[in-house]
Amino acid sequence: MVVERLSKRFGERVAFDDVSFEVGVGEVFGFLGPNGAGKTTTVRTLGTLIAPSSGAAKVAGIPLSPRNGPAIRSRISIMPESPGLYLRLSVRENLECFAGLYELDDIRGRINRALASVNLTDRAADLCGSLSKGLRQRVALARALLNDPAVLFLDEPTSGLDPVATREVHELIMSLRASGVTIFLTTHRLEEAERLCDRVAILNTTLRLVGRPDELRAQLFRRSLDVRLRAPLADPGAVFGAVSEVEGWEQAPSGYTLAVSDPDLAVPALARALVDADADILSLAESHHSLEDVYLELVDEDVEATRR
Amino acid sequence: MSLSWTRIGAILRKELRDYRRNRFVVATMAATPLLFIALPTIQLIAANATGKAVTLRVGLSLLYMLVIPVIMPSVISAYSVVGEREQGTLEPVLSTPIRREEFLIAKALAAFIPTLVTAYAVFGIFLAIAALFAHPVIVSAIYAGTHVLVQLLFTPLLAGWAVWIGIAVSTRMSDIRAAQQLSVLGSAPPLAILVLMSLNVITVSTALAIGLAAALLAFDLLAWRVVATMFDRERLLIGGRR
């Protein structure tokens, strides 16, 4: 999937603007952003449900255009946030309807395989209205797998699910990745994105960052060390200033945070300096920034920019 | 543009299954014919077999039969798009390769077929009851002139009109009840002509009946294209945000 300078406006309101990225075959691509950032609109645009205002894209290798809508939609699947099942129809009847819409052959076999992949074989005859939210989400996933999509769009697939159901969905996504399906995952759950995604993009109307979670951390945060001591240093400036790899320091609630050029070089030198200063070291480790830190840093920047 | 009857069939089967399990639709399909067969039958059986009154009674009784293909499909088709929106099922369906024309034809057939079956069945029952219990003069009045032709011709054509009006309203509304009320209102105008025919204000000839039928047929065929242009995926999915 290749997206180039794609924008969507509803009158004066900008849903998303100047968005560009690429997603490789078999990649799990996370699409993160706060509410109203334009994530769902982006999915709908790439799924040919709504037309872009400007820009271009290729989805499953097919150029995005109204004429190519049916061809693109036959090669992708979109699982919206709400499962959108026919509640008076059984699980199997729901899947039969969609198998017909995709004009699939071997409908029975495909439905059985899709149900087996989400562990719902024994619920095939149940009316969807009688299923729990988690089970409905699994039916929606089975429906999205029916046509063996080249690209699978999952819009908040674990929204409202309990931890067990969430874990099952995660396992399914990982097994799909293993089978080579390209997955475009929008989510609010940053630990989910960090765990499942090869790369993530952070959208807040415009695309803020794209990359592997560790690349984003490196881009956004200087490398640093957390130093915990039994007692504060009498003259921390003198101790840290003596280590050439330390570029700056600040007092932290539980010790000191040091900006360093290279943690691998800084740690041994710093340990020696602290021992020379008679400090009792409790711990000395590289600071870890989660994807959540990256996300919050970017979103906070946007909030600050809006205030200014 | 080629239409896929597999996709049309998938939606049609789904709709018919859904109707069977939807109490509101079942009640509408059951109550409307019952009501419209009871009143004209009683009227005919109780009628005196004299002069002009016979023609008028027969005309009015048969008018009831033509209310079925107006009321029933307008209520069902008004639900077709707005109902899917309200259930949250429209987006998954539109995410498949289905074209809007296929979606609309499937929805139209899903309202049209049950209506046609019900309306012809009710007319058949009406004719049978009349033959068994009504005065022979009344029976011969039913079969005389253009009554049967009008019933056979106008039942599907009126149903087609009501179906497209209902779907057109359904693509534009966001509330099911409002859509159904507007749909019934919008489907009524052709009935006015039939009322005038039944009251002998307009003298019905075979040529007039065929002419009116041809006009309705032209409308039904044109309506599909018009409603297809009204069907805007983007507006339907994002509602009032545009």
Side-chain angles (χ1 to χ4, degrees):
Chain A
M1 188 154 63
V2 182
V3 178
E4 289 171 354
R5 310 204 66 182
L6 205 65
S7 301
K8 179 64 189 177
R9 292 180 188 81
F10 297 108
E12 293 295 301
R13 195 177 71 78
V14 179
F16 61 85
D17 190 34
D18 201 19
V19 170
S20 301
F21 58 84
E22 291 185 13
V23 183
V25 174
E27 188 175 10
V28 179
F29 189 79
F31 210 53
L32 314 178
N35 291 331
K39 302 187 299 293
T40 299
T41 308
T42 306
V43 169
R44 286 173 170 170
T45 305
L46 295 174
T48 76
L49 293 173
I50 59 179
S53 303
S54 62
K58 275 187 180 178
V59 181
I62 305 170
L64 189 69
S65 70
R67 181 188 288 250
N68 290 338
I72 291 174
R73 293 197 298 273
S74 69
R75 299 205 56 202
I76 65 169
S77 269
I78 301 176
M79 184 184 143
E81 186 176 351
S82 161
L85 302 171
Y86 295 106
L87 301 181
R88 283 184 285 268
L89 266 56
S90 72
V91 171
R92 183 174 290 281
E93 287 167 344
N94 265 276
L95 298 185
E96 278 171 0
C97 173
F98 281 81
L101 293 175
Y102 283 107
E103 297 188 291
L104 301 175
D105 50 12
D106 184 25
I107 288 177
R108 178 177 285 270
R110 280 176 184 267
I111 290 174
N112 289 343
R113 286 194 292 278
L115 288 174
S117 66
V118 296
N119 294 324
L120 273 180
T121 304
D122 56 339
R123 307 299 294 268
D126 291 7
L127 292 183
C128 286
S130 70
L131 301 178
S132 67
K133 187 172 181 184
L135 291 178
R136 287 181 194 181
Q137 203 78 345
R138 279 157 63 179
V139 177
L141 254 177
R143 182 183 65 198
L145 298 175
L146 272 178
N147 62 327
D148 292 333
V151 183
L152 176 59
F153 291 90
L154 300 174
D155 194 0
E156 306 280 356
T158 55
S159 171
L161 296 189
D162 64 38
V164 175
T166 298
R167 191 180 61 192
E168 286 173 357
V169 171
H170 287 176
E171 285 168 358
L172 183 65
I173 291 172
M174 286 194 280
S175 72
L176 287 170
R177 174 169 60 179
S179 62
V181 179
T182 304
I183 296 172
F184 190 93
L185 172 76
T186 75
T187 181
H188 278 114
R189 295 187 172 188
L190 299 163
E191 80 289 353
E192 180 171 273
E194 187 141 34
R195 184 176 165 200
L196 297 173
C197 299
D198 300 308
R199 287 190 307 140
V200 297
I202 297 177
L203 180 79
N204 201 0
T205 307
T206 56
L207 204 59
R208 299 303 314 275
L209 277 178
V210 185
R212 291 201 314 268
D214 57 337
E215 285 176 349
L216 300 189
R217 281 192 287 268
Q219 274 182 46
L220 219 60
F221 297 106
R222 295 173 70 184
R223 300 189 79 176
S224 59
L225 296 176
D226 289 328
V227 180
R228 286 181 62 226
L229 304 175
R230 186 175 299 281
L233 294 167
D235 186 359
V239 175
F240 297 138
V243 180
S244 60
E245 288 80 9
V246 175
E247 295 172 340
W249 66 276
E250 62 182 26
Q251 187 95 34
S254 58
Y256 303 92
T257 302
L258 279 61
V260 295
S261 52
D262 184 345
D264 292 343
L265 291 175
V267 168
L270 192 61
R272 280 194 294 274
L274 289 168
V275 169
D276 290 345
D278 286 334
D280 294 330
I281 303 169
L282 297 177
S283 69
L284 183 53
E286 187 174 357
S287 306
H288 176 74
H289 293 286
S290 66
L291 185 59
E292 186 170 354
D293 295 329
V294 174
Y295 176 86
L296 291 175
E297 181 77 14
L298 283 173
V299 172
D300 285 349
E301 273 178 20
D302 288 347
V303 171
E304 284 300 313
T306 310
R307 278 187 192 144
R308 282 199 295 271
Chain B
M1 182 195 60
S2 61
L3 296 173
S4 162
W5 288 98
T6 308
R7 289 197 283 261
I8 292 170
I11 293 285
L12 179 59
R13 272 191 301 280
K14 182 274 294 177
E15 289 285 298
L16 296 178
R17 277 173 171 160
D18 203 33
Y19 291 165
R20 286 206 305 271
R21 294 167 197 169
N22 185 339
R23 273 188 228 160
F24 172 75
V25 173
V26 170
T28 304
M29 284 187 185
T32 310
L34 279 179
L35 185 69
F36 287 102
I37 200 168
L39 293 172
T41 307
I42 293 166
Q43 197 177 28
L44 272 197
I45 291 171
N48 291 322
T50 53
K52 267 193 170 179
V54 170
T55 319
L56 190 61
R57 288 261 171 150
V58 167
L60 281 174
S61 297
L62 291 171
L63 179 65
Y64 280 106
M65 302 288 119
L66 290 176
V67 176
I68 296 171
V70 172
I71 300 288
M72 231 175 93
S74 62
V75 172
I76 296 170
S77 60
Y79 181 82
S80 59
V81 180
V82 71
E84 294 254 11
R85 270 178 86 181
E86 207 163 272
Q87 285 184 79
T89 50
L90 191 60
E91 185 167 357
V93 169
L94 296 183
S95 302
T96 70
I98 195 164
R99 294 169 195 273
R100 61 184 176 183
E101 290 84 359
E102 294 163 349
F103 180 78
L104 292 172
I105 286 176
K107 289 286 185 179
L109 287 174
F112 184 79
I113 293 170
T115 300
L116 202 63
V117 170
T118 308
Y120 278 151
V122 166
F123 185 52
I125 293 167
F126 171 81
L127 289 180
I129 293 174
L132 288 172
F133 302 109
H135 194 281
V137 175
I138 289 174
V139 177
S140 61
I142 290 172
Y143 287 100
T146 54
H147 290 309
V148 174
L149 175 72
V150 165
Q151 289 294 325
L152 294 178
L153 267 183
F154 279 79
T155 295
L157 296 171
L158 283 173
W161 163 285
V163 163
W164 288 121
I165 294 286
I167 294 177
V169 168
S170 196
T171 59
R172 291 279 153 177
M173 303 294 288
S174 53
D175 178 72
I176 293 173
R177 282 184 202 168
Q180 286 173 333
Q181 286 165 6
L182 260 181
S183 174
V184 171
L185 272 177
S187 303
L191 268 183
I193 297 169
L194 294 166
V195 169
L196 296 177
M197 286 160 67
S198 302
L199 297 173
N200 287 329
V201 176
I202 299 172
T203 309
V204 188
S205 64
T206 305
L208 179 65
I210 291 174
L212 283 173
L216 265 176
L217 179 65
F219 169 85
D220 289 348
L221 294 176
L222 185 69
W224 170 50
R225 291 288 182 187
V226 173
V227 176
T229 60
M230 292 170 69
F231 187 88
D232 178 353
R233 281 173 197 261
E234 186 165 324
R235 197 188 56 78
L236 286 167
L237 289 178
I238 59 175
R241 280 203 281 158
R242 265 177 99 185

